[in-house]
Amino acid sequence: MYPDVVIIGGGIIGACCAYYLSLEGVKVYLVERDHIASGASGAGEGNICHEAMMPGMELTLTMASAALWDQFSPDMHRRIEYHKADTLQVVGCTEHLEGLEQNLEDHAREGVHGTLLSPKELFELEPNLARDVPGGAVFSGYNAHMQPMLATIALTDAARDMGAVVRTFTEVTGLQLSRDGAVEGVNTTSGPIPTRIVVIAAGAWSHRVGEMLGLDIPIVPRRGHMLVTEAVEDLVFHLVTEASYIATVEETDDSTKPNVCTIVELTDSGNLLLGSSRDTLAGFDPRVNAEIISAIAAGAVRFFPCLREVQVIRSYAGLRPCSPDLTPIIDRAEGHGGVYIATGHEGNGITTGPITGKLISEMITGKELSLPDEQMSKLSLSRFQAG
């Protein structure tokens, strides 16, 4: 039997789309040119950190997805190493103190409340933090963390258990269209797949898939780096992010240097994840850049001098799908019958994946959307065509 929907892309967004469509009884094929989570979903941190999201649609999607992550079963939570995580936003230089307080106010207006800490309170929570940091920090106790690759695989497996077909190492080579431009099938390296509905969830490669339809999906790859340390004990106790994180995400890439902002986080296995960076200069090159990982390491040691003697055992980079306004595209493509788009989540695929999959499922099945029309218009592809 032919599938009702073919999803192109086996990252967290494609997995969430497959899961929520399968939950509605839709017959789904998911095709991925490599293995599941081979792109950005296998090269991220797995944080759901409300304070690090820009107020507006990014924060709205994060709050909606956080509620959906909470609803998964305890068995799913154990499998993906999901747990609540206390977080600290810490000021790295005095000029960012005012921005920290403004960020706290902006998020409070949208229902996300943190606690401004005194230097004494901060150092009680993180005793190994450098004493020469300015001392301003915001504490939040309702964020969460998971292992992103495990989460992507688990949702794909759950969709498969509900009847979805998952084809890995299967690259899309073209789309079959009717005379009026409607989808009739997907051509792949494993053969054609007849279908009348396609979801483009190909991450940084979504623009290339769109070109097969003559559709301009304005997504570019934005490379991000991570370091993994050896297992440690009693050095870092919270997810610690530099307070300038949002500003770093919004910065225009500088051709002379990458955008780097410090993140230090303890995993379930005892290893530390160190981040983060952003640059569009590499294009589709996922190789690790020595200058960037050196800057990340230096930032981590700046905040936690005790990490100077800790060994880094691995570094990696991933290509995040970045839209011009840093907001995802979750939409049905006008003038292209049967084509839906779910991409442009930058580094927030884990953070905003479930609500994306749910919205795509609601669009395809004709259910009432979880977000109002006013907000959905801010996720449309046409917002770029309209300038």
Side-chain angles (χ1 to χ4, degrees):
M1 182 181 295
Y2 300 142
D4 301 314
V5 178
V6 171
I7 298 169
I8 303 172
I12 187 62
I13 301 302
C16 286
C17 292
Y19 174 83
Y20 281 101
L21 282 165
S22 298
L23 205 59
E24 294 297 325
V26 177
K27 186 168 179 57
V28 171
Y29 272 40
L30 185 150
V31 295
E32 163 57 45
R33 68 175 185 172
D34 207 312
H35 60 79
I36 296 299
S38 58
S41 299
E45 295 171 272
N47 296 321
I48 302 175
C49 188
H50 295 69
E51 293 81 7
M53 299 297 107
M54 291 180 286
M57 281 311 304
E58 187 175 272
L59 184 55
T60 296
L61 293 171
T62 297
M63 295 171 70
S65 273
L68 293 174
W69 280 118
D70 282 343
Q71 292 174 14
F72 284 107
S73 69
D75 286 342
M76 173 73 83
H77 284 170
R78 281 191 293 272
R79 182 176 177 187
I80 67 178
E81 299 180 4
Y82 176 91
H83 59 267
K84 293 297 183 179
D86 293 343
T87 60
L88 292 170
Q89 279 188 303
V90 181
V91 170
C93 53
T94 53
E95 55 261 38
H96 291 153
L97 279 169
E98 185 178 343
L100 178 71
E101 295 175 358
Q102 185 62 55
N103 187 48
L104 184 64
E105 293 177 8
D106 292 342
H107 282 74
R109 281 195 292 270
E110 300 204 28
V112 176
H113 299 280
T115 302
L116 190 64
L117 302 178
S118 67
K120 180 177 182 295
E121 291 170 324
L122 172 61
F123 295 128
E124 286 176 350
L125 291 174
E126 285 294 343
N128 293 316
L129 197 66
R131 286 305 187 265
D132 61 343
V133 299
V138 168
F139 171 84
S140 175
Y142 57 89
N143 292 314
H145 175 77
M146 71 197 76
Q147 212 290 342
M149 183 176 288
L150 293 179
T152 305
I153 293 170
L155 284 169
T156 305
D157 288 346
R160 186 189 284 113
D161 291 343
M162 290 185 283
V165 175
V166 179
R167 293 187 177 180
T168 54
F169 302 100
T170 300
E171 185 172 1
V172 172
T173 57
L175 289 100
Q176 303 168 16
L177 304 176
S178 66
R179 289 184 178 180
D180 60 1
V183 171
E184 291 187 336
V186 177
N187 295 326
T188 77
T189 51
S190 298
I193 307 173
T195 187
R196 295 194 179 277
I197 298 176
V198 167
V199 178
I200 300 175
W205 290 266
S206 295
H207 177 76
R208 294 183 176 181
V209 177
E211 287 180 330
M212 298 177 184
L213 292 160
L215 182 63
D216 182 16
I217 304 176
I219 298 297
V220 297
R222 201 180 194 195
R223 186 173 60 177
H225 288 69
M226 294 294 301
L227 307 181
V228 183
T229 75
E230 62 183 322
V232 299
E233 291 184 4
D234 300 330
L235 295 183
V236 180
F237 300 94
H238 302 79
L239 165 60
V240 177
T241 68
E242 192 170 356
S244 59
Y245 180 84
I246 290 180
T248 303
V249 174
E250 291 182 296
E251 281 180 8
T252 302
D253 293 299
D254 188 326
S255 61
T256 62
K257 64 179 180 65
N259 296 336
V260 176
C261 181
T262 298
I263 296 177
V264 180
E265 149 182 24
L266 184 66
T267 67
D268 285 2
S269 60
N271 307 86
L272 293 176
L273 294 181
L274 309 179
S276 65
S277 71
R278 284 170 166 79
D279 75 277
T280 58
L281 310 176
F284 285 91
D285 184 356
R287 291 177 298 180
V288 169
N289 179 286
E291 176 190 356
I292 295 175
I293 62 173
S294 295
I296 291 173
V301 171
R302 161 72 180 91
F303 279 85
F304 290 94
C306 59
L307 299 183
R308 189 177 301 277
E309 303 303 321
V310 173
Q311 297 294 313
V312 172
I313 62 173
R314 186 163 70 95
S315 61
Y316 54 86
L319 302 178
R320 304 181 180 109
C322 185
S323 74
D325 60 4
L326 302 177
T327 302
I329 302 169
I330 307 172
D331 196 13
R332 179 173 182 168
E334 295 179 10
H336 296 77
V339 177
Y340 295 79
I341 305 165
T343 190
H345 296 71
E346 214 262 347
N348 301 321
I350 283 288
T351 311
T352 56
I355 188 60
T356 299
K358 196 167 191 291
L359 287 168
I360 289 292
S361 174
E362 291 165 348
M363 290 179 194
I364 290 174
T365 59
K367 288 196 168 185
E368 181 179 356
L369 298 183
S370 295
L371 296 180
D373 290 345
E374 179 184 358
Q375 292 181 332
M376 291 304 300
S377 67
K378 298 176 182 178
L379 303 172
S380 70
L381 177 63
S382 62
R383 72 185 191 267
F384 302 113
Q385 298 165 345

